Amino acid sequence: MKYILDLSVTEVTPLQGRYLLVKATNPMGCLPEMLPGQFAQLRMDLSKETYLRRPISINNVDRESNEVWFLVQM
């Protein structure tokens, strides 16, 4: 099933090397059913270099805090 969500980034944590852990939440309600290893097509609204959505694998889904986590290499 496909969903279009406007997620809000809640935290960006730098990790070792060129990696970032990006946490995002759905301010409009609960997240739909999603699992780590599935892909999401992400778009950054304020990016001047990125015009198309990028497929990023879901790293974790935290149902208690209503957050989805993405591990991103810079």
Side-chain angles (χ1 to χ4, degrees):
M1 179 151 301
K2 294 183 181 183
Y3 299 95
I4 296 177
L5 302 172
D6 288 327
L7 300 177
S8 297
V9 174
T10 56
E11 184 179 337
V12 177
T13 306
L15 302 175
Q16 288 184 328
R18 298 173 41 204
Y19 293 94
L20 298 172
L21 182 63
V22 178
K23 297 180 182 182
T25 189
N26 182 7
M28 303 304 283
C30 294
L31 293 169
E33 187 61 35
M34 54 178 75
L35 298 170
Q38 293 178 324
F39 283 84
Q41 296 280 343
L42 302 183
R43 182 186 74 198
M44 302 302 290
D45 286 338
L46 301 177
S47 175
K48 294 179 182 176
E49 295 89 24
T50 306
Y51 299 105
L52 300 174
R53 295 177 188 267
R54 300 286 189 241
I56 305 289
S57 177
I58 296 170
N59 181 269
N60 186 35
V61 179
D62 187 343
R63 294 281 173 204
E64 289 182 21
S65 62
N66 196 41
E67 289 182 330
V68 58
W69 301 3
F70 301 97
L71 183 63
V72 180
Q73 183 179 4
M74 298 297 291

